[in-house]
PDB file of all heavy atoms in Angstrom:
ATOM      1  N   ILE B 252     100.747 103.170  73.883  1.00  0.00           N
ATOM      2  CA  ILE B 252      99.315 103.588  73.928  1.00  0.00           C
ATOM      3  C   ILE B 252      99.206 104.514  72.674  1.00  0.00           C
ATOM      4  O   ILE B 252      99.845 105.557  72.654  1.00  0.00           O
ATOM      5  CB  ILE B 252      99.140 104.296  75.167  1.00  0.00           C
ATOM      6  CG1 ILE B 252      99.233 103.543  76.405  1.00  0.00           C
ATOM      7  CG2 ILE B 252      97.698 105.078  75.178  1.00  0.00           C
ATOM      8  CD1 ILE B 252      99.562 104.256  77.669  1.00  0.00           C
ATOM      9  N   LEU B 253      98.453 104.047  71.777  1.00  0.00           N
ATOM     10  CA  LEU B 253      98.235 104.859  70.491  1.00  0.00           C
ATOM     11  C   LEU B 253      97.256 105.801  70.439  1.00  0.00           C
ATOM     12  O   LEU B 253      96.199 105.549  71.033  1.00  0.00           O
ATOM     13  CB  LEU B 253      97.872 103.832  69.424  1.00  0.00           C
ATOM     14  CG  LEU B 253      99.020 102.674  69.220  1.00  0.00           C
ATOM     15  CD1 LEU B 253      98.482 101.679  68.013  1.00  0.00           C
ATOM     16  CD2 LEU B 253     100.353 103.137  68.895  1.00  0.00           C
ATOM     17  N   PHE B 254      97.561 107.009  70.199  1.00  0.00           N
ATOM     18  CA  PHE B 254      96.599 108.145  69.977  1.00  0.00           C
ATOM     19  C   PHE B 254      96.479 108.228  68.507  1.00  0.00           C
ATOM     20  O   PHE B 254      97.336 108.736  67.754  1.00  0.00           O
ATOM     21  CB  PHE B 254      97.171 109.428  70.471  1.00  0.00           C
ATOM     22  CG  PHE B 254      97.107 109.627  72.058  1.00  0.00           C
ATOM     23  CD1 PHE B 254      96.849 108.471  72.866  1.00  0.00           C
ATOM     24  CD2 PHE B 254      97.412 110.829  72.629  1.00  0.00           C
ATOM     25  CE1 PHE B 254      96.762 108.682  74.163  1.00  0.00           C
ATOM     26  CE2 PHE B 254      97.366 110.953  73.992  1.00  0.00           C
ATOM     27  CZ  PHE B 254      96.905 109.886  74.805  1.00  0.00           C
ATOM     28  N   LEU B 255      95.332 107.764  67.974  1.00  0.00           N
ATOM     29  CA  LEU B 255      95.069 107.918  66.486  1.00  0.00           C
ATOM     30  C   LEU B 255      94.173 109.013  66.189  1.00  0.00           C
ATOM     31  O   LEU B 255      93.136 109.097  66.776  1.00  0.00           O
ATOM     32  CB  LEU B 255      94.533 106.459  65.984  1.00  0.00           C
ATOM     33  CG  LEU B 255      95.386 105.276  66.260  1.00  0.00           C
ATOM     34  CD1 LEU B 255      94.500 103.971  65.973  1.00  0.00           C
ATOM     35  CD2 LEU B 255      96.718 105.437  65.662  1.00  0.00           C
ATOM     36  N   TYR B 256      94.566 109.803  65.140  1.00  0.00           N
ATOM     37  CA  TYR B 256      93.768 110.849  64.707  1.00  0.00           C
ATOM     38  C   TYR B 256      93.459 110.685  63.297  1.00  0.00           C
ATOM     39  O   TYR B 256      94.334 110.470  62.465  1.00  0.00           O
ATOM     40  CB  TYR B 256      94.522 112.184  64.855  1.00  0.00           C
ATOM     41  CG  TYR B 256      93.835 113.439  64.440  1.00  0.00           C
ATOM     42  CD1 TYR B 256      92.415 113.598  64.875  1.00  0.00           C
ATOM     43  CD2 TYR B 256      94.323 114.255  63.522  1.00  0.00           C
ATOM     44  CE1 TYR B 256      91.758 114.699  64.497  1.00  0.00           C
ATOM     45  CE2 TYR B 256      93.604 115.432  63.157  1.00  0.00           C
ATOM     46  CZ  TYR B 256      92.291 115.663  63.676  1.00  0.00           C
ATOM     47  OH  TYR B 256      91.575 116.851  63.248  1.00  0.00           O
ATOM     48  N   ARG B 257      92.180 110.426  63.009  1.00  0.00           N
ATOM     49  CA  ARG B 257      91.701 110.069  61.711  1.00  0.00           C
ATOM     50  C   ARG B 257      92.343 108.675  61.303  1.00  0.00           C
ATOM     51  O   ARG B 257      92.701 108.500  60.077  1.00  0.00           O
ATOM     52  CB  ARG B 257      92.015 111.138  60.559  1.00  0.00           C
ATOM     53  CG  ARG B 257      91.326 112.394  60.848  1.00  0.00           C
ATOM     54  CD  ARG B 257      91.629 113.366  59.805  1.00  0.00           C
ATOM     55  NE  ARG B 257      90.818 114.552  60.004  1.00  0.00           N
ATOM     56  CZ  ARG B 257      91.260 115.830  59.872  1.00  0.00           C
ATOM     57  NH1 ARG B 257      92.515 116.086  59.523  1.00  0.00           N
ATOM     58  NH2 ARG B 257      90.497 116.929  59.998  1.00  0.00           N
ATOM     59  N   GLY B 258      92.501 107.872  62.228  1.00  0.00           N
ATOM     60  CA  GLY B 258      93.193 106.508  61.899  1.00  0.00           C
ATOM     61  C   GLY B 258      94.724 106.540  61.832  1.00  0.00           C
ATOM     62  O   GLY B 258      95.280 105.426  61.626  1.00  0.00           O
ATOM     63  N   TYR B 259      95.369 107.632  62.004  1.00  0.00           N
ATOM     64  CA  TYR B 259      96.884 107.560  61.874  1.00  0.00           C
ATOM     65  C   TYR B 259      97.413 108.095  63.175  1.00  0.00           C
ATOM     66  O   TYR B 259      96.701 108.985  63.925  1.00  0.00           O
ATOM     67  CB  TYR B 259      97.206 108.502  60.826  1.00  0.00           C
ATOM     68  CG  TYR B 259      96.784 108.081  59.376  1.00  0.00           C
ATOM     69  CD1 TYR B 259      95.685 108.785  58.778  1.00  0.00           C
ATOM     70  CD2 TYR B 259      97.539 107.010  58.730  1.00  0.00           C
ATOM     71  CE1 TYR B 259      95.280 108.212  57.598  1.00  0.00           C
ATOM     72  CE2 TYR B 259      97.096 106.627  57.488  1.00  0.00           C
ATOM     73  CZ  TYR B 259      95.920 107.223  56.921  1.00  0.00           C
ATOM     74  OH  TYR B 259      95.492 106.763  55.696  1.00  0.00           O
ATOM     75  N   PRO B 260      98.624 107.726  63.509  1.00  0.00           N
ATOM     76  CA  PRO B 260      99.331 108.279  64.611  1.00  0.00           C
ATOM     77  C   PRO B 260      99.330 109.731  64.813  1.00  0.00           C
ATOM     78  O   PRO B 260      99.724 110.389  63.863  1.00  0.00           O
ATOM     79  CB  PRO B 260     100.750 107.754  64.616  1.00  0.00           C
ATOM     80  CG  PRO B 260     100.600 106.523  63.635  1.00  0.00           C
ATOM     81  CD  PRO B 260      99.587 106.946  62.607  1.00  0.00           C
ATOM     82  N   LEU B 261      98.751 110.273  65.824  1.00  0.00           N
ATOM     83  CA  LEU B 261      98.641 111.753  66.037  1.00  0.00           C
ATOM     84  C   LEU B 261      99.874 112.506  65.824  1.00  0.00           C
ATOM     85  O   LEU B 261      99.922 113.483  65.096  1.00  0.00           O
ATOM     86  CB  LEU B 261      98.085 112.001  67.483  1.00  0.00           C
ATOM     87  CG  LEU B 261      97.970 113.363  67.844  1.00  0.00           C
ATOM     88  CD1 LEU B 261      96.826 114.073  67.262  1.00  0.00           C
ATOM     89  CD2 LEU B 261      97.759 113.431  69.390  1.00  0.00           C
ATOM     90  N   GLU B 262     100.892 111.992  66.225  1.00  0.00           N
ATOM     91  CA  GLU B 262     102.233 112.720  66.079  1.00  0.00           C
ATOM     92  C   GLU B 262     102.674 112.948  64.749  1.00  0.00           C
ATOM     93  O   GLU B 262     103.414 113.819  64.430  1.00  0.00           O
ATOM     94  CB  GLU B 262     103.380 111.986  66.955  1.00  0.00           C
ATOM     95  CG  GLU B 262     103.609 110.526  66.612  1.00  0.00           C
ATOM     96  CD  GLU B 262     102.697 109.604  67.517  1.00  0.00           C
ATOM     97  OE1 GLU B 262     101.518 110.026  67.838  1.00  0.00           O
ATOM     98  OE2 GLU B 262     103.080 108.497  67.632  1.00  0.00           O
ATOM     99  N   HIS B 263     102.180 112.088  63.827  1.00  0.00           N
ATOM    100  CA  HIS B 263     102.505 112.248  62.311  1.00  0.00           C
ATOM    101  C   HIS B 263     101.636 113.113  61.596  1.00  0.00           C
ATOM    102  O   HIS B 263     101.943 113.774  60.627  1.00  0.00           O
ATOM    103  CB  HIS B 263     102.442 110.732  61.652  1.00  0.00           C
ATOM    104  CG  HIS B 263     103.570 109.827  62.273  1.00  0.00           C
ATOM    105  ND1 HIS B 263     104.899 110.333  62.676  1.00  0.00           N
ATOM    106  CD2 HIS B 263     103.539 108.582  62.537  1.00  0.00           C
ATOM    107  CE1 HIS B 263     105.403 109.424  63.142  1.00  0.00           C
ATOM    108  NE2 HIS B 263     104.722 108.279  63.157  1.00  0.00           N
ATOM    109  N   VAL B 264     100.274 113.068  61.963  1.00  0.00           N
ATOM    110  CA  VAL B 264      99.264 113.802  61.091  1.00  0.00           C
ATOM    111  C   VAL B 264      98.642 114.951  61.778  1.00  0.00           C
ATOM    112  O   VAL B 264      98.109 115.829  60.915  1.00  0.00           O
ATOM    113  CB  VAL B 264      98.087 112.829  60.768  1.00  0.00           C
ATOM    114  CG1 VAL B 264      98.562 111.719  59.848  1.00  0.00           C
ATOM    115  CG2 VAL B 264      97.337 112.283  61.957  1.00  0.00           C
TER     116      VAL B 264
END
Side-chain angles (χ1 to χ4, degrees):
Chain B
I252 296 155
L253 302 178
F254 282 10
L255 301 175
Y256 181 52
R257 298 183 173 137
Y259 298 99
L261 174 70
E262 53 274 26
H263 298 320
V264 295

